[in-house]
Amino acid sequence: MKSEEEQILHLLGLARMSKGLVYGTNDTLTAIQGKKAKVAFFPKDGGASQQKKFRDKTSFYQVTLVEDFTKDELSQAIGLNRSIMAITNNGFAKKIKQLLEEKERN
């Protein structure tokens, strides 16, 4: 069985194919501020100033922020050289939040 992390990365790829994902710094921030983002992803090896900006925005707009993956893992998951992204689809967001909770429990 796949680990929670593998499942989350797989869901990112599916979300991109079904247009339930925005990526890139500007589009992701716009989705967060427009209350379209349900779960945002920021790479654990990302820059400190960007990280602060995303932590502040997601905290203010009450969006779940995931910082468990590297730039490479996130880019690979969606098949693009992008590591900042947000899930805008409710179904994918719900499943990812569920997997994050399971991961924390284990």
Side-chain angles (χ1 to χ4, degrees), residues 38-50:
K38 316 290 181 228
V39 181
F41 288 81
F42 189 85
K44 62 181 167 190
D45 53 352
S49 64
Q50 284 283 69

Side-chain angles (χ1 to χ4, degrees), residues 55-66:
R55 283 180 175 170
D56 291 348
K57 289 285 183 212
T58 52
S59 167
F60 182 81
Y61 289 98
Q62 297 176 330
V63 174
T64 302
L65 180 62
V66 180

Side-chain angles (χ1 to χ4, degrees), residues 19-79:
K19 309 272 189 274
L21 182 74
V22 295
Y23 41 85
T25 305
N26 293 340
D27 289 347
T28 302
L29 284 171
T30 301
I32 292 167
Q33 290 165 319
K35 297 185 170 53
K36 288 182 172 61
K38 316 290 181 228
V39 181
F41 288 81
F42 189 85
K44 62 181 167 190
D45 53 352
S49 64
Q50 284 283 69
Q51 182 186 48
K52 180 182 179 342
K53 183 192 288 185
F54 274 87
R55 283 180 175 170
D56 291 348
K57 289 285 183 212
T58 52
S59 167
F60 182 81
Y61 289 98
Q62 297 176 330
V63 174
T64 302
L65 180 62
V66 180
E67 299 178 272
D68 299 350
F69 304 101
T70 63
K71 290 177 186 176
D72 285 346
E73 288 170 326
L74 292 167
S75 294
Q76 234 176 343
I78 65 166

